[in-house]
Amino acid sequence: MKRFLSIWMFLLIFQPIIAQESYIPTKENLEARQWFQDAKFGLFIHWGVYSILGDGEWVMNNQNISIDDYEKLPSFFNPIDFDADEWVKMAKDAGMKYITITSRHHDGFSMFDSQATDYTIVKKTPYKKDILKPLAAACKREGIKLFFYYSLLDWHDDNYFPRGRTGTKIPGRSDGDWEVYIAFMKAQLTELLTNYGEIGGIWFDGHWDQKEWDGEIFGKVKVDWHYDEIYKLIHDLQPQCLIGNNHHLAPIEGEDFQMFERDLPGHNTTGWGTDASDVGDLPKEVCETINGSWGFNLKDNKHKSEKELVQYIVRSAGYGSNLLLNVGPMPNGEIQLEHIKSLEKVGEWMRENGETIYKTTGGPVAPNDDMAFTQRGNTMYLHILNDAKELFFVENFKGKIKSMHYYKSKEKVNHKISEYGMFIEVPNNKKDQIDTIIEIVLK
Ligand code: H79
């Protein structure tokens, strides 16, 4: 009896993940996946009332700000300098093809007009305007696709109950009803997929909040996220809309792309990321910050250099993945000058070298410290990323070479192929500090 009870309780506590079963992506969806796979570079935007405090998007949890205190923030949020066209143009000039913005982060505050809650930018801020509306319009004008980040976890809504492993010390939270919370999310997702035209995708985050975690490995999920209903709802409303979920697991049925937070696919340097064995076949996206923070952080000066940013695009592409590069706009609606400048430089690089990135797949050899390969048809692009060496070796290089020259100068590249692989000589005077690109045309 005891044993029976414990199995029963186990099943009650650890719900299996129920996905959108027998999901067959539509033609529009498959085309959208191909578009996504080709896009290679997007802008992530973390913006919310937390930006006011200049301490990142986790500030409510990190400083244990009570519900009552946090609710004062919207009354100060008045981003009079927000200009959707400027953001979209900045992204486009940087060579980005899409924008993913936080419609609602873990603090539970909706940055859009929602009838499902009063806790929104329209109803609670002096600004009173939906920011997704002008952004959607600007994106449409400029041919940039718009994706919505949507948090599954919520530190503000009592109905996010049972609570997860984070936000537990935030004062003022009460018990609520999980099923009501699921219905709320479905209502909001319906709004997001009805009121803003065609949406590129939904980017879920927070699943891991409901996973057991002993500091080293994750256990089972404690709740039923109703992904079967949520994913079906999204695909029914907009079949082309790509679903990604930052759960750090292998893709679940119903998802259309797989994302990797702050790690290249197959790497798990954070310790809580996706295992190499869970990397699937869906289009991939790596996300990373332009400094060290997602939401605006006043004291974060770890701005990545042009070289670091470009090389991360190249390495991501070498894994066949997009890079979703994040900025955290300031509370006035402007993006930090340092970041605007960095993106301008990246844009210059992409204009000159984008041919070696866009519409490519990962190359035949996985990226390493020295290099990354991208490939399109019979052409391979070998990106030399280590400017401290002159001799390079590509292990197990296979393929018959028709021509091999520097992408920029068109000069021939000294190389030798043996049964072990290819030796390449890149003398210092031929090198580019950021990326020496070699074009290899195969027979
Ligand atoms: O939106 C940005 C972040 O706010 C969000 N995802 C990006 C895109 C994010 N939230 N958390 N994380 C990323 C990583 C957090 C990991 C931890 Fe944990 C939460 C470490 C400890 C608590 C994971 C969950 C490991 C244990 C529990």
Side-chain angles (χ1 to χ4, degrees):
M1 181 63 185
K2 204 172 156 203
R3 193 194 158 102
F4 171 78
L5 254 184
S6 60
I7 290 172
W8 188 81
M9 280 180 65
F10 179 86
L11 286 175
L12 194 78
I13 296 168
F14 299 117
Q15 309 245 10
I17 297 174
I18 303 167
Q20 185 182 355
E21 273 178 54
S22 351
Y23 169 52
I24 300 170
T26 58
K27 185 170 159 279
E28 298 98 301
N29 188 283
L30 293 174
E31 282 168 8
R33 288 186 191 187
Q34 184 62 50
W35 173 88
F36 185 77
Q37 151 77 36
D38 290 344
K40 286 292 172 293
F41 193 29
L43 178 69
F44 211 172
I45 300 178
H46 275 69
W47 200 38
V49 293
Y50 44 78
S51 310
I52 296 168
L53 298 177
D55 194 14
E57 77 292 351
W58 270 60
V59 61
M60 186 181 192
N61 169 86
N62 295 352
Q63 293 188 20
N64 291 313
I65 303 175
S66 72
I67 298 282
D68 282 349
D69 287 344
Y70 200 88
E71 281 183 354
K72 292 174 187 157
L73 284 178
S75 67
F76 319 135
F77 191 73
N78 195 12
I80 48 172
D81 297 321
F82 166 62
D83 182 337
D85 283 292
E86 270 179 30
W87 285 12
V88 174
K89 286 200 178 99
M90 178 195 74
K92 195 174 176 177
D93 288 346
M96 292 156 158
K97 306 292 185 194
Y98 62 104
I99 293 177
T100 306
I101 185 162
T102 46
S103 61
R104 174 173 147 278
H105 205 270
H106 309 334
D107 66 351
F109 190 76
S110 297
M111 295 294 282
F112 61 101
D113 190 14
S114 175
Q115 304 316 308
T117 173
D118 284 341
Y119 202 45
T120 75
I121 189 166
V122 176
K123 293 180 207 164
K124 295 287 183 198
T125 73
Y127 191 64
K128 294 192 173 67
K129 283 176 281 193
D130 180 334
I131 56 133
L132 302 187
K133 267 268 147 89
L135 198 61
C139 282
K140 196 171 176 201
R141 277 195 292 278
E142 296 294 332
I144 296 288
K145 286 203 201 247
L146 183 61
F147 288 55
F148 293 139
Y149 171 107
Y150 191 81
S151 176
L152 294 160
L153 101 82
D154 193 313
W155 294 321
H156 180 269
D157 190 339
D158 291 338
N159 288 324
Y160 182 72
F161 188 86
R163 291 193 276 274
R165 31 168 307 106
T166 65
T168 51
K169 294 192 184 123
I170 292 170
R173 298 177 76 183
S174 303
D175 299 1
D177 183 341
W178 183 257
E179 298 305 319
V180 176
Y181 181 69
I182 297 290
F184 158 72
M185 289 204 294
K186 285 166 77 175
Q188 284 211 316
L189 288 163
T190 303
E191 293 175 329
L192 289 171
L193 291 158
T194 309
N195 300 338
Y196 304 92
E198 195 176 293
I199 295 308
I202 300 289
W203 208 105
F204 287 112
D205 198 4
H207 170 100
W208 35 261
D209 195 44
Q210 293 287 350
K211 278 183 358 184
E212 296 288 303
W213 168 256
D214 64 4
E216 276 180 32
I217 45 168
F218 285 112
K220 293 255 165 54
V221 182
K222 291 187 293 179
V223 295
D224 178 0
W225 286 110
H226 294 258
Y227 288 140
D228 50 344
E229 296 160 40
I230 289 176
Y231 291 180
K232 185 173 181 320
L233 173 80
I234 295 169
H235 285 139
D236 282 351
L237 286 167
Q238 295 203 20
Q240 87 297 334
C241 180
L242 302 176
I243 298 176
N245 190 331
N246 190 28
H247 44 48
H248 313 148
L249 306 166
I252 297 171
E253 203 170 2
E255 294 167 5
D256 305 300
F257 69 102
Q258 186 174 17
M259 64 272 266
F260 302 87
E261 181 171 337
R262 293 190 142 157
D263 255 319
L264 294 162
H267 297 256
N268 183 2
T269 58
T270 60
W272 41 257
T274 310
D275 285 335
S277 58
D278 288 332
V279 178
D281 294 329
L282 294 177
K284 299 175 182 57
E285 182 194 68
V286 168
C287 59
E288 183 51 284
T289 53
I290 197 162
N291 49 2
S293 316
W294 301 102
F296 175 58
N297 187 327
L298 186 65
K299 295 197 283 187
D300 184 345
N301 287 309
K302 286 185 246 139
H303 309 298
K304 294 187 176 72
S305 65
E306 179 195 2
K307 180 171 180 166
E308 287 172 298
L309 295 173
V310 167
Q311 291 203 345
Y312 213 55
I313 298 175
V314 172
R315 281 186 212 282
S316 302
Y319 281 97
S321 173
N322 294 355
L323 176 65
L324 184 64
L325 180 63
N326 180 79
V327 297
M330 299 184 287
N332 65 353
E334 284 183 348
I335 290 164
Q336 279 173 261
L337 199 57
E338 299 93 328
H339 300 167
I340 293 179
K341 292 240 162 82
S342 302
L343 291 178
E344 279 172 2
K345 288 196 190 127
V346 171
E348 270 171 45
W349 191 91
M350 288 300 266
R351 274 189 289 282
E352 277 176 33
N353 306 292
E355 187 193 13
T356 71
I357 303 289
Y358 299 121
K359 298 191 177 177
T360 62
T361 56
V365 181
N368 57 37
D369 288 346
D370 288 346
M371 63 185 80
F373 273 95
T374 54
Q375 188 168 7
R376 189 189 319 99
N378 263 352
T379 306
M380 278 180 196
Y381 301 102
L382 168 55
H383 302 260
I384 299 286
L385 303 173
N386 182 348
D387 64 2
K389 281 167 65 173
E390 293 189 288
L391 276 179
F392 295 88
F393 179 61
V394 187
E395 212 179 325
N396 288 326
F397 183 88
K398 295 195 177 74
K400 298 222 158 69
I401 295 177
K402 191 165 145 196
S403 70
M404 181 158 164
H405 54 262
Y406 291 103
Y407 182 69
K408 216 174 250 170
S409 68
K410 308 292 171 208
E411 285 173 54
K412 286 208 167 130
V413 177
N414 279 338
H415 66 280
K416 197 171 173 181
I417 295 182
S418 80
E419 59 181 302
Y420 307 108
M422 176 162 60
F423 295 89
I424 306 166
E425 189 196 0
V426 184
N428 283 333
N429 63 358
K430 305 270 192 245
K431 251 188 244 152
D432 182 296
Q433 292 291 301
I434 293 181
D435 178 5
T436 309
I437 306 174
I438 295 169
E439 184 170 334
I440 304 172
V441 181
L442 300 174
K443 276 184 189 153

